């Protein structure tokens, strides 16, 4: 009898423990289910609209800037043209998300799209002195409009006009500079002292400004397709090496901060700045060639010449 009672008591205890375990598990399951429902409710995906307008629009970014005449020091205004890319990444009923890329500066933009007027109003964050508002109207695959700086005194041209065309970015290792490209670095002139001897044998010294100039080697060597050798590049000018190296980054859509490189690649019809960092996009061959070029750039010399510009 005692054995029976003990057995019944043991079974009862086991049953109670089992019920507690089951109850605890049910509670967890119920809690997870509730959390799941709440999560679904809180993370409702907002439908996207007008996906046909997504993409990269690139073209002119122009504004009047004050310049100084080197001959007499007088100031004048001229229209300065730059290349800009405006990326439209996402459009919903209430918001538009994208990026602006100009002068190597990549900024997020957010705003609205008016469906009836086809007008985008997009603001950069405002925490950079060069931020502003885009107001561009869509017509087919083109955008035209203006950009206004938030800080009117922080930029040379607080009001700029915009003319953009939708283009699909494509990486192509065959892309090269045009053979008729101007191979002069206008951004970094250097002064040299020259001597002049007249017909009477009198010698005078004068200072002249010269610019770096590249050679035709930049049209022949492609660091995205061929493995470069030291023999091929050891006698090249520094500017040659820089152009061959940066052609790799240009093919991947890198947005250059240096005006020199922007000038060379904006002469092509294939260069579309899409990113401020493309390091991860480089192929093993390209990485190897870039490393080799960097070694030689460090010690290479430039050729300077005088130009009537």
């Amino acid at each position: 009898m005692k054995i029976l009672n003990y057995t019944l008591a043991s079974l009862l205890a086991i049953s109670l423990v089992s019920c507690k375990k089951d109850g605890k598990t049910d509670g967890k399951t119920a809690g997870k289910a509730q959390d799941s429902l709440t999560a679904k409710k809180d993370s409702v995906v907002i439908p996207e609209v007008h996906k046909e307008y997504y993409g990269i629009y690139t073209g002119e970014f122009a504004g009047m800037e004050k310049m100084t005449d080197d001959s007499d020091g007088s100031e004048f205004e001229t229209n300065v043209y730059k290349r800009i890319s405006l990326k439209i990444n996402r459009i919903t009923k209430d918001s538009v998300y994208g990026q602006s890329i100009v002068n190597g500066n990549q900024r997020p933009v957010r705003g609205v799209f008016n469906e009836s007027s086809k007008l985008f109003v997009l603001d950069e964050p405002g925490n950079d002195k060069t931020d502003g508002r885009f107001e561009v109207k869509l017509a087919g695959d083109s955008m035209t409009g203006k950009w206004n700086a938030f800080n009117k005194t922080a930029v040379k041209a607080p009001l700029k006009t915009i003319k953009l065309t939708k283009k699909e970015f494509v990486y192509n290792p065959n892309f090269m500079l045009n053979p008729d490209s101007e191979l002069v670095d206008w951004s970094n002139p250097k002064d040299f002292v020259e001597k002049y001897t007249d017909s009477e044998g009198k010698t005078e010294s004068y200072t002249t400004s010269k610019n770096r100039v590249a050679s035709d080697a930049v049209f022949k060597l492609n660091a995205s397709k061929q493995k470069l050798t030291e023999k091929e590049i050891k006698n090249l000018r520094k500017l040659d090496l820089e152009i061959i190296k940066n052609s790799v980054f240009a093919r991947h859509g890198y947005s250059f901060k240096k005006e020199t490189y922007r000038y060379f690649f904006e002469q092509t019809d294939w260069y579309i700045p899409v990113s401020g960092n493309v390091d991860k996009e480089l192929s093993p061959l390209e990485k190897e060639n870039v490393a080799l070029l960097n070694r030689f750039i460090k010690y290479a010399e430039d050729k300077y010449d005088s130009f009537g510009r």
Side-chain angles (χ1 to χ4, degrees), residues 68-183:
T68 302
D69 191 326
D70 293 335
S71 61
D72 58 12
S74 62
E75 288 191 345
F76 64 96
E77 281 195 337
T78 186
N79 213 9
V80 176
Y81 293 86
K82 298 179 180 179
R83 177 78 65 89
I84 186 173
S85 288
L86 196 60
K87 295 170 69 176
I88 303 299
N89 299 330
R90 186 166 179 257
I91 305 175
T92 67
K93 182 180 178 181
D94 301 316
S95 299
V96 179
Y97 304 85
Q99 292 170 311
S100 64
I101 305 168
V102 63
N103 288 357
N105 194 21
Q106 186 170 324
R107 305 292 289 159
V109 296
R110 182 175 178 178
V112 294
F113 174 66
N114 187 306
E115 189 171 358
S116 59
S117 64
K118 295 290 189 293
L119 180 70
F120 285 96
V121 179
L122 305 170
D123 287 343
E124 292 167 319
N127 55 359
D128 186 281
K129 66 180 182 180
T130 63
D131 284 350
R133 167 173 289 182
F134 295 91
E135 294 180 50
V136 288
K137 194 169 185 178
L138 186 67
D141 284 342
S142 299
M143 279 186 184
T144 56
K146 61 183 179 179
W147 174 88
N148 270 291
F150 295 140
N151 187 340
K152 306 297 182 186
T153 61
V155 292
K156 292 181 179 179
L159 174 63
K160 291 184 172 71
T161 58
I162 300 172
K163 293 181 180 180
L164 310 177
T165 302
K166 189 176 184 181
K167 288 190 176 182
E168 182 181 357
F169 170 76
V170 177
Y171 166 74
N172 188 332
N174 296 309
F175 285 152
M176 298 286 284
L177 287 178
N178 297 329
D180 57 351
S181 296
E182 192 174 37
L183 301 179

Side-chain angles (χ1 to χ4, degrees), residues 9 25 39 50 52 71 75 80 85 118 127 130 162 198 205 209 211 234 245 248 250 272 276 295 309:
T25 303
H50 297 302
E52 67 273 20
S71 61
E75 288 191 345
V80 176
S85 288
K118 295 290 189 293
N127 55 359
T130 63
I162 300 172
D198 61 20
S205 297
S209 182
N211 298 83
K234 67 179 181 179
K245 166 192 165 182
V248 170
I272 302 176
R295 282 172 45 206
R309 176 174 171 176

Side-chain angles (χ1 to χ4, degrees), residues 185-203:
D185 175 11
W186 297 107
S187 301
N188 301 285
K190 186 177 179 180
D191 289 338
F192 291 85
V193 176
E194 303 280 3
K195 291 183 178 181
Y196 169 73
T197 303
D198 61 20
S199 57
E200 297 178 355
K202 185 179 179 180
T203 301

Side-chain angles (χ1 to χ4, degrees), residues 5 24 104 148 184 191 210 220 233 245 254 263 293 296:
N5 288 339
K24 194 172 182 180
N148 270 291
V184 182
D191 289 338
K210 295 185 178 183
K220 301 173 183 176
I233 68 174
K245 166 192 165 182
Y254 179 70
Y263 171 72
L293 289 162
F296 280 80

Side-chain angles (χ1 to χ4, degrees), residues 2 18 74 101 111 113 173 189 200 205 232 237 240 252 262 283:
K2 286 183 179 180
S18 177
S74 62
I101 305 168
F113 174 66
E200 297 178 355
S205 297
E232 288 175 312
R237 304 168 188 176
D240 292 340
H252 287 280
R262 292 201 307 270
S283 69

